[in-house]
Short mmCIF file of all heavy atoms in Angstrom, two decimals:
data_model
loop_
_atom_site.label_atom_id
_atom_site.label_comp_id
_atom_site.label_asym_id
_atom_site.label_seq_id
_atom_site.Cartn_x
_atom_site.Cartn_y
_atom_site.Cartn_z
N GLU A 135 -15.08 -20.31 6.04
CA GLU A 135 -14.80 -19.46 7.20
C GLU A 135 -13.35 -19.59 7.65
O GLU A 135 -12.72 -18.60 8.06
CB GLU A 135 -15.74 -19.82 8.35
CG GLU A 135 -15.66 -18.86 9.52
CD GLU A 135 -16.67 -19.19 10.61
OE1 GLU A 135 -17.66 -19.87 10.33
OE2 GLU A 135 -16.44 -18.75 11.76
N ASN A 136 -12.77 -20.79 7.56
CA ASN A 136 -11.39 -20.99 8.01
C ASN A 136 -10.35 -20.56 6.96
O ASN A 136 -9.17 -20.82 7.11
CB ASN A 136 -11.15 -22.44 8.42
CG ASN A 136 -11.25 -23.42 7.26
OD1 ASN A 136 -11.58 -23.04 6.13
ND2 ASN A 136 -10.98 -24.68 7.54
N ARG A 137 -10.82 -19.87 5.91
CA ARG A 137 -9.91 -19.30 4.91
C ARG A 137 -10.14 -17.80 4.77
O ARG A 137 -9.75 -17.19 3.76
CB ARG A 137 -10.10 -20.00 3.55
CG ARG A 137 -9.65 -21.47 3.51
CD ARG A 137 -8.16 -21.61 3.76
NE ARG A 137 -7.67 -22.98 3.56
CZ ARG A 137 -7.65 -23.90 4.49
NH1 ARG A 137 -8.11 -23.62 5.71
NH2 ARG A 137 -7.18 -25.11 4.24
N CYS A 138 -10.76 -17.21 5.78
CA CYS A 138 -11.05 -15.77 5.76
C CYS A 138 -10.24 -15.07 6.85
O CYS A 138 -10.43 -15.35 8.05
CB CYS A 138 -12.54 -15.51 5.98
SG CYS A 138 -13.59 -16.13 4.64
N TYR A 139 -9.39 -14.17 6.44
CA TYR A 139 -8.58 -13.40 7.39
C TYR A 139 -8.91 -11.93 7.23
O TYR A 139 -8.58 -11.30 6.23
CB TYR A 139 -7.09 -13.69 7.16
CG TYR A 139 -6.75 -15.08 7.62
CD1 TYR A 139 -6.88 -16.16 6.76
CD2 TYR A 139 -6.39 -15.32 8.94
CE1 TYR A 139 -6.62 -17.46 7.20
CE2 TYR A 139 -6.13 -16.62 9.39
CZ TYR A 139 -6.25 -17.67 8.51
OH TYR A 139 -6.01 -18.95 8.96
N CYS A 140 -9.62 -11.42 8.25
CA CYS A 140 -10.04 -10.02 8.24
C CYS A 140 -9.93 -9.47 9.65
O CYS A 140 -9.50 -10.18 10.56
CB CYS A 140 -11.47 -9.89 7.71
SG CYS A 140 -12.71 -10.76 8.72
N LEU A 141 -10.30 -8.23 9.85
CA LEU A 141 -10.22 -7.60 11.17
C LEU A 141 -11.50 -7.86 11.95
O LEU A 141 -12.59 -7.93 11.38
CB LEU A 141 -10.01 -6.10 11.03
CG LEU A 141 -8.78 -5.65 10.23
CD1 LEU A 141 -8.72 -4.12 10.19
CD2 LEU A 141 -7.50 -6.21 10.83
N SER A 142 -11.36 -8.00 13.26
CA SER A 142 -12.55 -8.10 14.10
C SER A 142 -13.30 -6.77 14.08
O SER A 142 -12.72 -5.72 13.75
CB SER A 142 -12.16 -8.47 15.53
OG SER A 142 -11.39 -7.43 16.11
N ASN A 143 -14.57 -6.81 14.40
CA ASN A 143 -15.39 -5.59 14.32
C ASN A 143 -14.92 -4.49 15.26
O ASN A 143 -15.17 -3.31 15.02
CB ASN A 143 -16.86 -5.93 14.60
CG ASN A 143 -17.48 -6.73 13.48
OD1 ASN A 143 -17.06 -6.64 12.33
ND2 ASN A 143 -18.48 -7.54 13.81
N ASP A 144 -14.23 -4.87 16.32
CA ASP A 144 -13.78 -3.86 17.29
C ASP A 144 -12.27 -3.60 17.22
O ASP A 144 -11.70 -2.95 18.09
CB ASP A 144 -14.17 -4.27 18.72
CG ASP A 144 -13.58 -5.62 19.12
OD1 ASP A 144 -12.94 -6.29 18.26
OD2 ASP A 144 -13.78 -6.03 20.28
N TYR A 145 -11.62 -4.09 16.16
CA TYR A 145 -10.16 -3.92 16.02
C TYR A 145 -9.82 -2.44 15.85
O TYR A 145 -10.46 -1.72 15.08
CB TYR A 145 -9.66 -4.70 14.80
CG TYR A 145 -8.15 -4.70 14.66
CD1 TYR A 145 -7.38 -5.64 15.32
CD2 TYR A 145 -7.51 -3.77 13.85
CE1 TYR A 145 -5.99 -5.67 15.19
CE2 TYR A 145 -6.13 -3.79 13.70
CZ TYR A 145 -5.37 -4.74 14.37
OH TYR A 145 -4.01 -4.75 14.24
N VAL A 146 -8.81 -1.99 16.59
CA VAL A 146 -8.35 -0.60 16.46
C VAL A 146 -7.22 -0.58 15.42
O VAL A 146 -6.13 -1.08 15.66
CB VAL A 146 -7.84 -0.06 17.81
CG1 VAL A 146 -7.34 1.38 17.64
CG2 VAL A 146 -8.95 -0.12 18.86
N LYS A 147 -7.51 -0.01 14.26
CA LYS A 147 -6.55 0.00 13.16
C LYS A 147 -5.39 0.94 13.45
O LYS A 147 -5.56 1.98 14.09
CB LYS A 147 -7.22 0.45 11.86
CG LYS A 147 -8.25 -0.53 11.31
CD LYS A 147 -8.77 -0.04 9.96
CE LYS A 147 -9.82 -0.99 9.40
NZ LYS A 147 -10.31 -0.54 8.07
N THR A 148 -4.21 0.58 12.95
CA THR A 148 -3.08 1.51 12.97
C THR A 148 -2.86 1.96 11.53
O THR A 148 -3.50 2.87 11.05
CB THR A 148 -1.82 0.85 13.57
OG1 THR A 148 -1.50 -0.34 12.82
CG2 THR A 148 -2.04 0.48 15.01
N ARG A 149 -1.97 1.27 10.82
CA ARG A 149 -1.81 1.50 9.38
C ARG A 149 -1.86 0.16 8.68
O ARG A 149 -1.37 -0.84 9.21
CB ARG A 149 -0.46 2.19 9.10
CG ARG A 149 -0.31 3.58 9.68
CD ARG A 149 0.93 4.26 9.12
NE ARG A 149 2.13 3.45 9.30
CZ ARG A 149 3.19 3.49 8.49
NH1 ARG A 149 3.18 4.28 7.42
NH2 ARG A 149 4.25 2.75 8.73
N ASP A 150 -2.42 0.13 7.48
CA ASP A 150 -2.55 -1.13 6.76
C ASP A 150 -1.20 -1.83 6.60
O ASP A 150 -1.11 -3.05 6.70
CB ASP A 150 -3.16 -0.90 5.38
CG ASP A 150 -4.65 -0.59 5.44
OD1 ASP A 150 -5.19 -0.51 6.56
OD2 ASP A 150 -5.27 -0.42 4.37
N ILE A 151 -0.17 -1.03 6.36
CA ILE A 151 1.16 -1.62 6.11
C ILE A 151 1.73 -2.28 7.37
O ILE A 151 2.64 -3.09 7.29
CB ILE A 151 2.12 -0.55 5.54
CG1 ILE A 151 3.25 -1.22 4.75
CG2 ILE A 151 2.64 0.37 6.64
CD1 ILE A 151 4.04 -0.28 3.88
N GLU A 152 1.15 -1.95 8.53
CA GLU A 152 1.54 -2.61 9.78
C GLU A 152 0.55 -3.72 10.15
O GLU A 152 0.93 -4.77 10.67
CB GLU A 152 1.61 -1.58 10.91
CG GLU A 152 2.70 -0.53 10.69
CD GLU A 152 2.62 0.61 11.68
OE1 GLU A 152 1.74 0.59 12.56
OE2 GLU A 152 3.44 1.54 11.57
N ASP A 153 -0.74 -3.47 9.90
CA ASP A 153 -1.77 -4.44 10.29
C ASP A 153 -1.80 -5.67 9.41
O ASP A 153 -2.04 -6.79 9.88
CB ASP A 153 -3.15 -3.77 10.27
CG ASP A 153 -3.33 -2.76 11.39
OD1 ASP A 153 -2.63 -2.89 12.41
OD2 ASP A 153 -4.16 -1.84 11.25
N LYS A 154 -1.57 -5.49 8.11
CA LYS A 154 -1.72 -6.63 7.19
C LYS A 154 -0.67 -7.72 7.42
O LYS A 154 -1.01 -8.91 7.40
CB LYS A 154 -1.70 -6.17 5.75
CG LYS A 154 -2.28 -7.22 4.80
CD LYS A 154 -3.16 -6.61 3.74
CE LYS A 154 -4.15 -7.59 3.19
NZ LYS A 154 -5.03 -7.00 2.18
N PRO A 155 0.59 -7.38 7.68
CA PRO A 155 1.55 -8.44 8.02
C PRO A 155 1.15 -9.24 9.26
O PRO A 155 1.49 -10.43 9.36
CB PRO A 155 2.86 -7.67 8.24
CG PRO A 155 2.73 -6.47 7.36
CD PRO A 155 1.29 -6.08 7.46
N LEU A 156 0.42 -8.62 10.19
CA LEU A 156 -0.06 -9.36 11.36
C LEU A 156 -1.08 -10.41 10.95
O LEU A 156 -1.09 -11.53 11.48
CB LEU A 156 -0.67 -8.39 12.38
CG LEU A 156 0.27 -7.33 12.96
CD1 LEU A 156 -0.49 -6.42 13.92
CD2 LEU A 156 1.44 -7.99 13.69
N LEU A 157 -1.95 -10.07 10.00
CA LEU A 157 -2.90 -11.04 9.48
C LEU A 157 -2.17 -12.18 8.77
O LEU A 157 -2.55 -13.35 8.89
CB LEU A 157 -3.87 -10.37 8.49
CG LEU A 157 -5.09 -9.63 9.04
CD1 LEU A 157 -5.96 -9.15 7.88
CD2 LEU A 157 -5.90 -10.49 9.98
N MET A 158 -1.14 -11.82 8.01
CA MET A 158 -0.37 -12.84 7.30
C MET A 158 0.30 -13.80 8.29
O MET A 158 0.29 -15.03 8.08
CB MET A 158 0.68 -12.19 6.41
CG MET A 158 1.51 -13.18 5.61
SD MET A 158 0.54 -14.14 4.42
CE MET A 158 0.42 -12.95 3.07
N ALA A 159 0.86 -13.26 9.35
CA ALA A 159 1.49 -14.11 10.36
C ALA A 159 0.48 -15.09 10.96
O ALA A 159 0.77 -16.28 11.15
CB ALA A 159 2.11 -13.24 11.45
N ARG A 160 -0.72 -14.59 11.23
CA ARG A 160 -1.77 -15.44 11.79
C ARG A 160 -2.17 -16.54 10.80
O ARG A 160 -2.32 -17.71 11.15
CB ARG A 160 -2.99 -14.60 12.14
CG ARG A 160 -3.96 -15.30 13.09
CD ARG A 160 -5.13 -14.41 13.43
NE ARG A 160 -6.32 -14.87 12.73
CZ ARG A 160 -7.30 -14.09 12.32
NH1 ARG A 160 -7.22 -12.79 12.50
NH2 ARG A 160 -8.35 -14.59 11.73
N ALA A 161 -2.30 -16.16 9.53
CA ALA A 161 -2.70 -17.13 8.50
C ALA A 161 -1.66 -18.25 8.36
O ALA A 161 -2.00 -19.43 8.32
CB ALA A 161 -2.90 -16.42 7.17
N LEU A 162 -0.39 -17.86 8.32
CA LEU A 162 0.66 -18.86 8.14
C LEU A 162 0.77 -19.79 9.34
O LEU A 162 1.17 -20.95 9.21
CB LEU A 162 1.99 -18.16 7.88
CG LEU A 162 2.07 -17.38 6.55
CD1 LEU A 162 3.39 -16.67 6.42
CD2 LEU A 162 1.83 -18.29 5.36
N GLU A 163 0.39 -19.29 10.50
CA GLU A 163 0.41 -20.11 11.70
C GLU A 163 -0.76 -21.09 11.72
O GLU A 163 -0.63 -22.24 12.16
CB GLU A 163 0.35 -19.21 12.94
CG GLU A 163 0.47 -19.95 14.26
CD GLU A 163 0.47 -19.01 15.44
OE1 GLU A 163 1.16 -17.97 15.38
OE2 GLU A 163 -0.24 -19.29 16.41
N GLU A 164 -1.92 -20.65 11.21
CA GLU A 164 -3.14 -21.45 11.33
C GLU A 164 -3.39 -22.38 10.15
O GLU A 164 -3.96 -23.46 10.32
CB GLU A 164 -4.35 -20.52 11.50
CG GLU A 164 -4.35 -19.74 12.80
CD GLU A 164 -5.51 -18.77 12.91
OE1 GLU A 164 -6.34 -18.70 11.97
OE2 GLU A 164 -5.60 -18.08 13.93
N LEU A 165 -2.98 -21.98 8.96
CA LEU A 165 -3.29 -22.78 7.77
C LEU A 165 -2.37 -23.99 7.66
O LEU A 165 -1.21 -23.93 8.10
CB LEU A 165 -3.15 -21.91 6.51
CG LEU A 165 -4.18 -20.79 6.34
CD1 LEU A 165 -3.80 -19.89 5.17
CD2 LEU A 165 -5.58 -21.36 6.16
N PRO A 166 -2.85 -25.08 7.08
CA PRO A 166 -1.98 -26.24 6.88
C PRO A 166 -0.85 -25.90 5.93
O PRO A 166 -0.97 -24.98 5.10
CB PRO A 166 -2.92 -27.29 6.28
CG PRO A 166 -4.08 -26.53 5.74
CD PRO A 166 -4.22 -25.32 6.59
N PRO A 167 0.28 -26.62 6.01
CA PRO A 167 1.42 -26.31 5.14
C PRO A 167 1.03 -26.42 3.66
O PRO A 167 0.19 -27.23 3.28
CB PRO A 167 2.45 -27.37 5.52
CG PRO A 167 2.04 -27.84 6.88
CD PRO A 167 0.55 -27.74 6.93
N ALA A 168 1.66 -25.58 2.84
CA ALA A 168 1.45 -25.63 1.39
C ALA A 168 2.82 -25.58 0.72
O ALA A 168 3.72 -24.86 1.15
CB ALA A 168 0.60 -24.46 0.93
N ALA A 169 2.98 -26.35 -0.35
CA ALA A 169 4.27 -26.40 -1.05
C ALA A 169 4.56 -25.11 -1.79
O ALA A 169 5.72 -24.72 -1.96
CB ALA A 169 4.27 -27.58 -2.03
#
Side-chain angles (χ1 to χ4, degrees):
E135 189 176 339
N136 66 356
R137 292 297 187 272
C138 295
Y139 289 88
C140 61
L141 303 180
S142 65
N143 290 333
D144 59 355
Y145 186 85
V146 179
K147 292 184 181 182
T148 57
R149 296 190 306 151
D150 287 2
I151 203 165
E152 296 170 1
D153 289 336
K154 198 138 204 179
L156 298 178
L157 277 185
M158 181 64 81
R160 197 179 106 211
L162 294 177
E163 184 178 316
E164 293 177 0
L165 292 172

